[in-house]
Amino acid sequence: MFTKILIANRGEIACRVIRTARKLGVHTVAVYSDADARSLHVEMADEAVHVGPSPVGESYLRGDRIVAAALATGAQAIHPGYGFLSENPDFVDQVVAAGLVFIGPSAASIRAMGLKDAAKRLMEKAGVPVVPGYHGEAQEIVLLASKAREIGYPVLIKARAGGGGKGMRRVEHPDDFSEALSSARREAKAAFGDDRVLVEKYVDKPRHIEVQVFGDNFGNAVHLYERDCSAQRRHQKVIEEAPAPGMTPALRKAMTEAAVKAAKSINYSGAGTIEFIVDASQGLEADRFWFMEMNTRLQVEHPVTEMVTGTDLVEWQLRVACGEKLPKTQSEITLSGHAFEARIYAEDAAKGFLPATGTLHHLKFPDVAPEGAAMRIETGVRAGDAISPYYDPMIAKLVVHAGDRLAGLEALRTALAQTEIAGSTANTAFLAALAADPDFVAEDIDTGLIGRHREGLTAVAPPTGEIISAAAMAASGAGALPSSNDPWSSLAGYAHFHGVARRMRLKFGDEAIQARISVRSDGRFQVALDAPYDSTNSHDLRAVPRLARWPGHITVFEGAVGYTFAVPDPLARSDEAAAATGSLRAPMPGLVKLVRVAKGDAVIKGQPLLILEAMKMEHIIAAPHDGVIAEIAGEGAQVTDGTVLVRFVEDQSASTAAAGG
C-alpha cells in the first residue's frame, strides 16, 4: 500500500478520499487555490500545497503544478477524484513520466473512451449496442443538419468531450437546429476546450441506467450492478439510486455483461462507469438499451453502489493502483437493500435551477439516520464557508440505505426534512418534492420526469402566518439564540408592559410585512400581522420552531423548506427610492458570453438580449418587457450577482423616438 498520496481535487470528493486513506494509514496531501485556502479538505489532509489563483484554469487544471507538488511532498501517487484532470490522458502521461502512479486507468484507456464519438465506434466493434446517431469526425453544419434529418427529430446534440449535461441540446424541429448547435458548441468549448459534437436520436421515454465496473492490472474485470440516474434536470443528475427500479433479471444480465465486455475491450483498470440509455416506453426490455459513454473515473454517485454492495470503492482504487488484484470476484459481489443519493446544491430551483452563491451561515444535517436506515453525509463545506462562483455549487450529497425502495424513499424524505441551510439558496425543498412525487414513488421514471412536473416540484407554498410570526418573534429577540434553542427567552421583559406591543418590520422577497408583538397575562406571546395576513397567532414558549438567525436575516425551517426573512435595520436610510426601475440585473455571477442587441435597439418582451455563462453553463437573459436599450453590458464582462446588465430608456416618449415612432 502507498504511504502518501496527493489528491488533485477539492470539496467533497477530496474529503471522501482522505477518509478512506486515513482508514488505511495512508498520509494525504491536498492542493488548493486562493478561494480554498481555508476549506475543509485542506484542514483534513496531512499536508496542503497552494497551486494557484481561484479560476480552475490557473489552479486545479494546472497539471504541472500538481505533479510538482506531489514530487515536493514525497507523494507516491495522485488520486484525481472526478472532474478537473480525472479524465485527461495528457495529465496521466505527466504523472507517469514523473515516476508517480496515477490512481485510475491508463492514458490509453482514457483516450479510447474520452471522446463519445470514437468510444461509440469502438463499442460497435466490441459488440456493445450503441444508440442510433452520427458519430463521425466531419463537423460542417450542413452535414450535421443533414444527419439530423436522416436520424429523425427530435434529436440530441451532444458535446463529444466531457459530460454533466454541458454542451447538450434537444432539438425538436429543423428550424431550431442551427441555433441549438451554436449554443452547444460554445458551451462545450468553454467547458472542455473542444466544440465538436455528435448527433443522436432522442429516445422518447429514456431511462439513464449505468453499470459500475472495476478492473485490475491482471486482466480481471467485474461489475457492481447498476444505478439509475434518470432523475435529471438540464441533463444533470439530481437523485440517483441503486439498484434501478423495475430492473428485470434479463435486462440486468444483458446490461452488466455488456458493461464488463466494454471494460475488457480496452484492458480497463480501476473504477469506471458504463452509461446506457434505455427505452422504457414498453417497460425494461433486454433488447432496448444502448451504450452512451464511459466515465473513466469514480462517479459522483458512487456511494449508492457502496451502500448496496458493502464495498469501499476508493479503497479498491488504492489497492488496484498499488498492484493488488481485485478485492472480490464477481460471485462474491451481492446486492442488499436500496440506496438513494440526493445532491444538495446551492441553486434556485424556482428560477430555472440557477446556481447560487453566498455564505453558509447555518448548516445542519440530521444527527442520526432515520429509523431503520443507514445514512451518509458527503460534504466538503462547513457552517461559515462560502459558496464560490468559481466551482460547482454542490453543498453535500445525502445518502440513505434501507431494506427496500419505499423504505429508502421515506428515509430520504425524513433526512431532507431535517436538513437546515441558511445563507444561500438551496434545493432541499425541490429534492423532497421529487422524493414524494407520485410518479417517482411509483417507479414511473424517465429523464423527462422533472421537466414535465417542474412547476409542481419547484413551487413552494407561501409562509403561513405562524411561520411569519415565528420570524417576527426571533427578529425581536436580542443577542444570539440561546443554547436551549429558546429564541423567545430574551423577550421575557415584555411581561412588565402587557399593554405595549412592539412593532417589527420584515421582508419576504419583495414583500414588506408588519407585525405587532405583545405579551399575554399567561406569559405567552401574541403576534398580530397586518394585511394581507390579518391573523393572530399565540406562541407557547414550549413550542419553538426550527430557525436560524444570521446577519440581517431570519430563516424559519418547515420540513425541507427554509423561509428566509430580511430584517431591515431601522437606523439605515432606505435606498429604495434610488433604485433603478428600468434595469435588468445579473441573477448570478458570470461572464457575458454573447450580446445580441445594441444601445438604441427597440426590443420586445421575451427577446433574448445576451447570454450569461455561469458554472460553465449558458443562461439566456431575455427582455422582461417591451422597451428601448439605453445601456447593455459588453461581451467578455465578468459580472457579480446583482450587477446591472441592461438599462432601458425610462421615458416613453424617448422610447418612441428611439424606435423611430
Side-chain angles (χ1 to χ4, degrees), residues 127-169:
V128 177
V130 174
V131 67
Y134 172 72
H135 310 128
E137 290 288 339
Q139 293 287 301
E140 293 79 8
I141 185 172
V142 174
L143 173 66
L144 295 176
S146 173
K147 292 296 183 182
R149 288 191 180 91
E150 289 178 17
I151 296 165
Y153 284 88
V155 298
L156 198 62
I157 299 172
K158 297 172 66 175
R160 74 169 195 163
K166 299 178 178 67
M168 186 181 294
R169 297 291 185 274

Side-chain angles (χ1 to χ4, degrees), residues 394-450:
M394 181 183 287
I395 296 172
K397 300 183 308 192
L398 194 158
V399 189
V400 296
H401 177 244
D404 56 45
R405 188 172 189 270
L406 290 179
L409 273 175
E410 180 61 31
L412 181 63
R413 291 191 292 265
T414 299
L416 285 167
Q418 295 172 352
T419 298
E420 301 175 3
I421 300 171
S424 178
T425 303
N427 67 339
T428 49
F430 162 74
L431 292 171
L434 178 57
D437 179 85
D439 285 352
F440 190 77
V441 173
E443 304 182 3
D444 185 10
I445 307 166
D446 61 79
T447 59
L449 183 146
I450 290 176

Side-chain angles (χ1 to χ4, degrees), residues 461-469 529 533 535 537 558 563 565:
T464 62
E466 184 175 33
I467 290 171
I468 297 170
S469 297
L529 304 175
Y533 298 97
S535 61
N537 293 279
E558 179 76 10
Y563 294 96
F565 300 83

Side-chain angles (χ1 to χ4, degrees), residues 7 10-20 39-42 44 378-381:
I7 303 164
R10 65 176 300 279
E12 62 89 14
I13 185 56
C15 296
R16 165 73 186 89
V17 175
I18 290 170
R19 285 196 298 273
T20 287
S39 64
L40 181 58
H41 79 280
V42 171
M44 288 179 63
E378 302 281 351
T379 186
V381 295

Side-chain angles (χ1 to χ4, degrees), residues 384-399:
D385 286 351
I387 300 297
S388 168
Y390 295 103
Y391 314 119
D392 185 88
M394 181 183 287
I395 296 172
K397 300 183 308 192
L398 194 158
V399 189

